[in-house]
Amino acid sequence: MNETLRRLLFLPLQRSTVAYEIDRLHYFVISVTLVGSVLVFLLATIFTIRYRHPPEEPATPNVQAGYHSPAILLEIVILAGLLLLFLTWWVIGSRQFVRLRVAPDDALEVYVTAKQWMWKFAYPNGKRAISTMYVPARRPIKLIMTSRDVIHSFYVPDFRIKQDVVPGRYTTVWFQTTEPGTYQILCAEYCGTAHSAMRGEVIALEPSDYERWLAERPFESGPAGEAYVEPYTPEEGPRPQMINLVNEGQRAAAEHGCLRCHSTDGSAHIGPTWGGLFGSTVPLAGERQTIADEAYITQSMMDPTAKIHRGYLPVMPTFLGRIRPTETAAIVEFIKSLRNVPRQGPEGEDPGPVQGRITP
Amino acid sequence: MHEGPLHPQFEDLERQRDAARLGMWAFLGSEALLFTGLFVLYAAYRTLYPDAFAAAASLNDRALGTINTFILLTSSFTVALSVHEVRLGRARRSALLLLASILLGFVFLGVKLTEYAEHFREGIFPGPSYRYEGLRGFGPRIFFTLYFLMTGLHALHVIAGMGMLAWVMVGAWQHRYSPLYHTPLELGALYWHLVDVIWIFLWPCLYLMHA
Amino acid sequence: MTSGTYEADLVGVPETHAPTDVGLDYLRADRGIRSWLLTTDHKRIGLMFYIVVIFALILGGIFALLLRTELLTPERTVMDAVTYNRMFTLHGVTMIWLFMIPAIPNVFGNFVLPIMLGAKDLAFPRLNLASFYVYLLGCVVTLGAMIWGGADTGWTFYVPYSTTSQSAVVPIVLGIFIFGISSIMTAVNFIVTTHTMRSANLSWFRLPLFVWALYGTSVIMLLATPVLGLSVIVVALDRAFQLGIFDPALGGDPVLFQHLFWFYSHPAVYIMILPAQGVMSEVVCTFSRRQPASYGAIAMSSLGIALVGFGTWGHHMFVAGMSEFDANVFGVLSMFVAIFSAIKVFTWVATMHRGSIHFNTPMLYFFWFLFLFVFGGMTGVAVATESLDVHWHDTYFVVAHFHFIMVGGTLTGFLAAVHYWFPKMFGRLYSERMGLLTSFAVFTGFVLTFFPQFLLGNAGMPRRYYSYPARYQWLNVLSTGGAWLLGGALVLTLGNLLVALFWGKRATANPWGSRGYEWMTPVLPPKTNFASTPFIGRGPYDYDRPEEAAHA
């Protein structure tokens, strides 16, 4: 039944854990749509035949014998039924939507950078890939995505997932494949001349094959097993080494001078400490606060004065344009790795600036 | 005492007056939505950069902003008086009151220009030219870009309103309006009140909600 | 036509309205090119809009055919990617702002609104003329930008692509701003006219349903257009001066632009569909010779659509990164707005019940409208279902959905109006046989073009794709074939009407036997419509009363 309907409607394969469920709602909605519009059309046709004015007779001035009061009750019942139907779709659809959006906690994270017109992937262990993303099958994968230029959209029809990739902020999407295989990635948000050529592949491997791939030297895996070298462009800096993304984040943080102001051991310094920062609640000016997630940390690098940790001076310069997106991701990953470092402030809070609290 | 021209599409003068008034109200509704777009931008970015917006707002001269508010309110008052006078048949007086409103409009624009000049001297420009050292970052830049957009668009409306008032002022001086017919004057006044009302919303957003 | 009996309509109007008293008809009342270009007669302005709008339709249609031809093969067929991207932008801009938004209100609304109200003209005839020239200026600017090279951003102008694209975005955006001014002028005029120019005794609930539809449309135009105007101007400023309001590299939020854009552009869908619904209400009542099953339901749902339509824009942005909560709110509001359209559909069908149905071209277009609008509307509910939208968003499913509404709804509404009011506007009858034939061809071509696109969307083909994976090819070929059929059918329709314009049989004043007020005027309405404001003593759909009583 499912297979027949899927083929009839030209739907792609169902290769993620959510696809079948979404397709069932799809069948429901589309069959009601088809049946409904055909019914209305048929009813109108029946009325036309039944109440057709005989063509040979002249139109009589007084066509209608009397005024029919509209069947108010019938109309209300039909409309209420229709609304109920629509609301049912909404309830099912919005629940599925939430499920589509909230990744399981144990998801494997992959960083995705979109640019005109390619997809780049970076793994927590520092491994990189272009256009082809290798993932272990049957494991939840969470993509943390950003764009270097314009808005793109990450779309895998076989998974029924899609998420816009927006410059200047991070968006996430997750999926879990049901079996190993190769699945096409399409860019769904118009992004310029070669928009339709911005394609890629998700290759889901058996977990053991994935581990082997992950352990390979980063440059020797490519589509169809060919060895390929990530294109090297001078603006990208030195060739990526075989390093862990956390280590790379530490290197980048040192290179860009972050560690001159931010401690990593939870102690007081010029800026807020990175120890235990990730996931914590950051007090801001006034009574506001925010959660230190990927978005907040990225924003603090790009526009440091936007949301300043209460008690600190707005002295940090912007790093917009100074560090590469992969370095940003690496630094975020590095800060994440410090999430369990105990802080030395009272009640595990941020210890505050090193020269004592300064109120601006 | 004349009742004004009746255009051929109308049945009577009363309907013609109603139509003109309603037309102006509809247009004002549209104008309000135009500014609403800017207020939405302001609100959205204020949520995104609350501290920067509060800090940037304090760079605007509150005294000048408040003075300007009083100037515009007074000009609205004189415009309202002028409508009152023409209804009593004192067209010349009405024209003089309109003149006063126009002059107040000039004063308003003058104050606005001083503020702009002061900002430019400090390096506060809209967009990429922003180079004020005291307050860096995206937030203040966006605040001042919006500040210049909002006050600039408002200033354009002030100028348009002054043009309208000048036109009806000439009419009033030449006794083209009477207690029975003064629709153009009324419409000009309505428009001027809108300009005033928009400023009443700009004033707290740009001057008062500071750090 | 079996219309002899309805000559009575002509003389049924109080005697003072006999044609001899009011002078020549509006086409011959004044002569010379100046009398046209500087006219303030709403009927002549309507005709001038008619001509430009038809040219816009032809231009947009040519773009569409070229685009479809390019999509015959997965890779390059006739043009390169840059040309293709510019062409789909121009297709969208032309069809939406040059054709669909002004088509029914400015042509037919202009022509019949004052007559339906028993007025001599709109409240502000000169503003009406100005609206035409502002529109014309917008056309010149937009077409100029096309010659300049055109923009390649899509009609949605999403930032930051639109602020960085190396194409003539600014002139196109300026053109759209100018169209907005014209829209607002017309909206103000229509609203004021409906409020103040009704003839004595013509209460709100005796207004023809087309007037209600125009009123709802005008309210949306008045309130939504300035927001679009502002957003596109900010995009232009961002481009010209790097203001960075929407530029993420300068701290701006690109998604905010989408919110502002859809705040206009979702209601704009109703700007395009409401007038078509109004036309259909007139057509179905006239040819079923019956009152609408529920006048109040149709009139009020026009207003309901106008108001609730403002709260649903977010359903265009489910995958743009909005929170789950926002998505749920926009999702549920979208379900409610569909109910208002459902009310209309049921009422139309109920109107046919126990009617006396005359089957001819406008009625046939009503049938197509009914099917396409219901199917297109229901797929709209489908794409507003959040989890389904994730798969469909920005695929051909969405393209097919909005073409069902825009082409299947607005274009069939426009064509129904073209045929329905043809005798009143030009005093001649078109060939009914050819009318029915071309109507069938339009429908067949349309379904063949857009039905495969639903399946393409299901299969996952994103929109705005110059090249596509080969597995999508045969559906694309089908769609392209349908597009050529549709184009041919429209050319035939135009031919049929042009023949009728010059050689058609002379029409009578009320060939359809309608009780609509506009049919009370002579064959061709005189310049001022009526000698004096008529006293309208009956409703516009009083088919149940004998003819004499109707005009008593």
Side-chain angles (χ1 to χ4, degrees):
Chain A
M1 181 67 174
N2 172 42
E3 192 55 18
T4 320
L5 281 173
R6 190 187 67 77
R7 282 169 180 274
L8 205 64
L9 291 169
F10 287 73
L11 284 166
L13 296 168
Q14 297 156 344
R15 285 295 183 266
S16 74
T17 45
V18 292
Y20 171 60
E21 194 190 326
I22 291 175
D23 282 1
R24 274 199 312 187
L25 180 60
H26 186 138
Y27 305 147
F28 179 22
V29 170
I30 285 299
S31 30
V32 170
T33 300
L34 260 178
V35 170
S37 38
V38 168
L39 270 187
V40 169
F41 191 69
L42 272 184
L43 197 63
T45 313
I46 290 168
F47 284 169
T48 309
I49 296 165
R50 170 71 185 73
Y51 302 109
R52 176 101 197 258
H53 175 83
E56 64 279 6
E57 282 178 31
T60 44
N62 186 3
V63 197
Q64 199 172 340
Y67 174 70
H68 295 274
S69 66
I72 295 287
L73 192 68
L74 181 70
E75 185 150 352
I76 288 176
V77 167
I78 294 178
L79 287 175
L82 200 62
L83 188 60
L84 203 67
L85 184 72
F86 289 170
L87 288 179
T88 313
W89 295 351
W90 173 70
V91 169
I92 303 174
S94 56
R95 290 170 73 111
Q96 288 180 349
F97 183 72
V98 172
R99 202 179 143 202
L100 271 170
R101 291 285 293 265
V102 183
D105 289 336
D106 59 340
L108 175 80
E109 289 176 355
V110 180
Y111 284 91
V112 180
T113 310
K115 58 173 275 194
Q116 286 166 328
W117 291 278
M118 59 170 73
W119 300 100
K120 295 183 169 189
F121 307 99
Y123 292 80
N125 78 341
K127 187 129 175 163
R128 305 264 178 79
I130 288 183
S131 298
T132 308
M133 170 166 55
Y134 289 88
V135 295
R138 294 182 288 271
R139 255 201 73 181
I141 315 291
K142 179 183 178 187
L143 306 182
I144 300 165
M145 309 189 288
T146 192
S147 164
R148 279 180 64 166
D149 35 49
V150 300
I151 300 177
H152 303 275
S153 194
F154 184 91
Y155 178 34
V156 183
D158 291 337
F159 299 163
R160 311 287 188 275
I161 58 159
K162 185 182 288 133
Q163 175 62 49
D164 282 6
V165 183
V166 185
R169 61 159 86 172
Y170 278 82
T171 54
T172 62
V173 69
W174 79 276
F175 60 88
Q176 181 174 354
T177 58
T178 52
E179 56 188 82
T182 304
Y183 311 106
Q184 192 164 38
I185 303 169
L186 299 167
C187 176
E189 180 63 60
Y190 175 70
C191 59
T193 312
H195 163 55
S196 56
M198 187 169 160
R199 300 176 204 164
E201 277 174 346
V202 177
I203 297 184
L205 301 169
E206 287 294 350
S208 55
D209 293 340
Y210 173 74
E211 292 305 326
R212 205 172 314 131
W213 173 82
L214 204 61
E216 277 171 15
R217 291 205 302 119
F219 316 122
E220 289 183 358
S221 59
E226 283 166 39
Y228 84 104
V229 176
E230 183 174 354
Y232 172 67
T233 45
E235 50 127 348
E236 302 256 326
R239 280 191 183 192
Q241 301 298 305
M242 173 59 191
I243 34 165
N244 181 298
L245 202 57
V246 172
N247 293 344
E248 159 127 13
Q250 191 167 18
R251 182 200 57 76
E255 183 187 315
H256 293 288
C258 310
L259 302 179
R260 280 203 292 269
C261 299
H262 298 280
S263 74
T264 55
D265 57 0
S267 62
H269 212 328
I270 298 165
T273 178
W274 287 357
L277 171 66
F278 190 83
S280 71
T281 305
V282 178
L284 304 175
E287 287 310 304
R288 285 186 307 274
Q289 55 190 33
T290 185
I291 300 289
D293 53 6
E294 288 103 350
Y296 172 73
I297 294 171
T298 314
Q299 189 191 20
S300 299
M301 283 186 243
M302 303 308 161
D303 183 23
T305 53
K307 288 177 184 160
I308 297 172
H309 192 300
R310 196 187 298 157
Y312 289 91
L313 282 173
V315 292
M316 179 172 153
T318 174
F319 285 86
L320 184 81
R322 293 200 219 164
I323 49 178
R324 289 178 282 126
T326 40
E327 285 181 322
T328 314
I331 293 173
V332 172
E333 202 59 30
F334 174 53
I335 294 175
K336 263 189 200 173
S337 74
L338 303 171
R339 63 193 308 169
N340 294 323
V341 173
R343 293 166 154 204
Q344 290 162 20
E347 295 166 34
E349 283 174 9
D350 187 88
V354 71
Q355 302 95 332
R357 283 181 185 276
I358 310 164
T359 29
Chain B
M1 198 182 291
H2 64 102
E3 299 192 329
L6 176 66
H7 296 292
Q9 70 271 25
F10 289 102
E11 285 297 295
D12 51 54
L13 281 165
E14 198 193 327
R15 279 190 185 214
Q16 182 174 315
R17 267 198 299 275
D18 285 350
R21 258 187 234 132
L22 185 64
M24 188 45 121
W25 277 108
F27 175 65
L28 295 188
S30 204
E31 286 273 37
L33 262 291
L34 181 71
F35 276 92
T36 305
L38 280 174
F39 280 109
V40 166
L41 280 177
Y42 177 90
Y45 283 121
R46 189 161 183 122
T47 322
L48 204 58
Y49 303 107
D51 305 324
F53 264 51
S58 60
L59 289 181
N60 280 332
D61 192 326
R62 235 166 308 150
L64 286 183
T66 312
I67 289 172
N68 251 353
T69 310
F70 278 106
I71 292 172
L72 264 198
L73 281 177
T74 316
S75 75
S76 250
F77 177 66
T78 49
V79 162
L81 269 188
S82 132
V83 175
H84 180 70
E85 290 296 334
V86 84
R87 281 186 184 151
L88 296 177
R90 298 191 286 236
R92 286 274 156 113
R93 250 201 223 194
S94 164
L96 287 175
L97 281 163
L98 287 175
L99 183 66
S101 309
I102 295 168
L103 292 178
L104 284 170
F106 275 115
V107 176
F108 175 87
L109 290 177
V111 173
K112 202 80 233 139
L113 277 182
T114 359
E115 286 185 76
Y116 280 4
E118 181 57 30
H119 282 325
F120 291 160
R121 215 177 358 260
E122 286 176 342
I124 298 175
F125 290 96
S129 326
Y130 181 87
R131 51 174 155 278
Y132 178 63
E133 286 303 325
L135 207 53
R136 308 286 314 175
F138 292 143
R141 230 184 92 150
I142 291 187
F143 175 87
F144 280 107
T145 307
L146 284 175
Y147 165 81
F148 284 112
L149 269 183
M150 291 167 110
T151 52
L153 188 65
H154 179 258
L156 283 182
H157 280 75
V158 171
I159 293 169
M162 282 160 61
M164 240 186 230
L165 290 186
W167 180 60
V168 290
M169 176 185 76
V170 172
W173 189 257
Q174 293 171 348
H175 291 288
R176 260 189 271 149
Y177 308 128
S178 69
L180 291 181
Y181 169 70
H182 50 270
T183 316
L185 208 165
E186 231 179 345
L187 299 188
L190 265 180
Y191 190 81
W192 191 256
H193 292 323
L194 172 89
V195 170
D196 196 5
V197 167
I198 290 171
W199 179 259
I200 295 287
F201 284 93
L202 288 176
W203 177 47
C205 286
L206 299 175
Y207 292 88
L208 302 186
M209 291 157 75
H210 57 81
Chain C
M1 278 305 302
T2 52
S3 57
T5 335
Y6 290 94
E7 296 291 343
D9 263 330
L10 209 167
V11 288
V13 187
E15 289 80 67
T16 44
H17 298 158
T20 46
D21 285 349
V22 287
L24 286 169
D25 64 68
Y26 80 102
L27 290 173
R28 277 171 294 198
D30 301 296
R31 295 200 161 270
I33 193 86
R34 267 177 69 91
S35 76
W36 278 89
L37 294 181
L38 298 178
T39 184
T40 51
D41 180 358
H42 64 101
K43 298 181 288 300
R44 286 190 167 195
I45 295 171
L47 281 196
M48 293 201 288
F49 265 114
Y50 209 159
I51 294 166
V52 186
V53 151
I54 293 288
F55 273 108
L57 177 61
I58 293 172
L59 186 68
I62 290 172
F63 288 145
L65 287 183
L66 288 171
L67 290 172
R68 281 310 326 167
T69 308
E70 169 53 41
L71 290 172
L72 267 177
T73 62
E75 297 300 328
R76 184 192 164 110
T77 315
V78 289
M79 61 178 88
D80 57 19
V82 174
T83 316
Y84 178 86
N85 292 343
R86 294 187 177 187
M87 198 156 278
F88 76 65
T89 306
L90 297 179
H91 166 70
V93 168
T94 309
M95 282 303 200
I96 288 170
W97 282 290
L98 273 76
F99 175 68
M100 253 181 302
I101 288 183
I104 298 178
N106 280 322
V107 178
F108 300 105
N110 246 333
F111 195 95
V112 298
L113 176 69
I115 310 182
M116 281 180 164
L117 299 174
K120 293 192 195 105
D121 206 324
L122 289 169
F124 311 118
R126 279 184 296 177
L127 186 70
N128 195 19
L129 184 67
S131 170
F132 173 71
Y133 282 111
V134 171
Y135 165 75
L136 210 57
L137 177 69
C139 290
V140 170
V141 171
T142 317
L143 293 177
M146 292 179 191
I147 294 163
W148 198 299
D152 66 344
T153 59
W155 76 279
T156 46
F157 301 104
Y158 271 18
V159 290
Y161 188 71
S162 61
T163 50
T164 50
S165 154
Q166 302 293 318
S167 57
V169 175
V170 172
I172 295 238
V173 152
L174 277 183
I176 288 167
F177 187 78
I178 296 170
F179 287 130
I181 298 175
S182 164
S183 283
I184 292 174
M185 286 172 158
T186 300
V188 168
N189 218 340
F190 281 8
I191 289 176
V192 172
T193 305
T194 311
H195 272 276
T196 61
M197 306 288 281
R198 282 172 289 126
S199 82
N201 215 36
L202 183 58
S203 64
W204 278 90
F205 283 90
R206 272 195 186 162
L207 291 177
L209 290 166
F210 187 53
V211 175
W212 276 103
L214 288 177
Y215 187 77
T217 310
S218 304
V219 170
I220 306 177
M221 276 188 184
L222 188 74
L223 298 182
T225 315
V227 179
L228 173 81
L230 179 88
S231 340
V232 295
I233 282 297
V234 172
V235 166
L237 290 174
D238 254 18
R239 262 187 85 84
F241 306 110
Q242 285 82 46
L243 288 189
I245 298 265
F246 296 129
D247 186 354
L250 299 170
D253 184 357
V255 179
L256 194 54
F257 169 80
Q258 297 178 20
H259 278 288
L260 288 176
F261 178 83
W262 288 113
F263 180 81
Y264 164 81
S265 294
H266 189 72
V269 173
Y270 303 113
I271 295 182
M272 297 177 233
I273 198 67
L274 267 178
Q277 292 180 339
V279 172
M280 289 312 173
S281 300
E282 297 296 322
V283 166
V284 75
C285 291
T286 295
F287 295 111
S288 302
R289 309 200 46 70
R290 189 187 181 294
Q291 309 217 1
S294 169
Y295 176 94
I298 295 187
M300 286 305 120
S301 54
S302 282
L303 288 188
I305 288 174
L307 295 179
V308 182
F310 274 105
T312 62
W313 78 89
H315 63 216
H316 294 264
M317 302 167 56
F318 285 152
V319 304
M322 64 165 43
S323 73
E324 288 78 21
F325 175 79
D326 293 353
N328 290 351
V329 171
F330 284 121
V332 75
L333 283 174
S334 309
M335 299 297 160
F336 280 97
V337 78
I339 290 295
F340 291 109
S341 291
I343 293 177
K344 289 199 171 181
V345 169
F346 291 143
T347 315
W348 290 325
V349 175
T351 302
M352 298 172 71
H353 182 61
R354 300 208 206 177
S356 169
I357 296 167
H358 294 242
F359 197 78
N360 45 27
T361 312
M363 198 59 180
L364 188 58
Y365 276 112
F366 166 74
F367 272 85
W368 306 144
F369 178 88
L370 204 57
F371 177 69
L372 301 176
F373 179 69
V374 173
F375 194 80
M378 292 279 279
T379 53
V381 176
V383 284
T385 308
E386 295 150 53
S387 62
L388 300 181
D389 183 60
V390 170
H391 179 59
W392 280 327
H393 179 81
D394 267 342
T395 66
Y396 263 82
F397 191 92
V398 173
V399 175
H401 154 66
F402 72 73
H403 279 90
F404 259 64
I405 297 289
M406 309 273 96
V407 186
T410 312
L411 188 67
T412 50
F414 179 76
L415 289 172
V418 164
H419 289 89
Y420 179 63
W421 282 305
F422 192 83
K424 185 52 55 190
M425 295 177 93
F426 304 108
R428 295 193 184 254
L429 293 172
Y430 58 88
S431 153
E432 199 64 72
R433 196 186 299 242
M434 273 303 283
L436 291 172
L437 190 77
T438 50
S439 176
F440 265 104
V442 165
F443 179 73
T444 316
F446 174 83
V447 170
L448 204 57
T449 311
F450 292 105
F451 201 77
Q453 294 189 4
F454 277 120
L455 300 175
L456 277 173
N458 273 356
M461 178 169 161
R463 64 195 285 204
R464 297 171 173 176
Y465 257 32
Y466 166 72
S467 61
Y468 52 86
R471 62 178 181 277
Y472 301 131
Q473 188 173 4
W474 75 269
L475 283 171
N476 270 303
V477 171
L478 211 59
S479 179
T480 303
W484 281 99
L485 180 58
L486 178 58
L490 288 175
V491 170
L492 276 183
T493 310
L494 183 66
N496 180 35
L497 293 172
L498 284 177
V499 167
L501 188 61
F502 295 107
W503 301 287
K505 228 175 80 184
R506 297 257 172 217
T508 51
N510 187 2
W512 314 128
S514 170
R515 298 286 160 87
Y517 305 140
E518 75 273 27
W519 299 100
M520 287 159 52
T521 56
V523 187
L524 286 166
K527 191 179 175 187
T528 54
N529 302 340
F530 310 95
S532 64
T533 307
F535 179 85
I536 296 179
R538 61 172 178 85
Y541 308 107
D542 282 358
Y543 292 98
D544 55 324
R545 299 160 70 184
E547 186 64 15
E548 307 78 59
H551 285 308

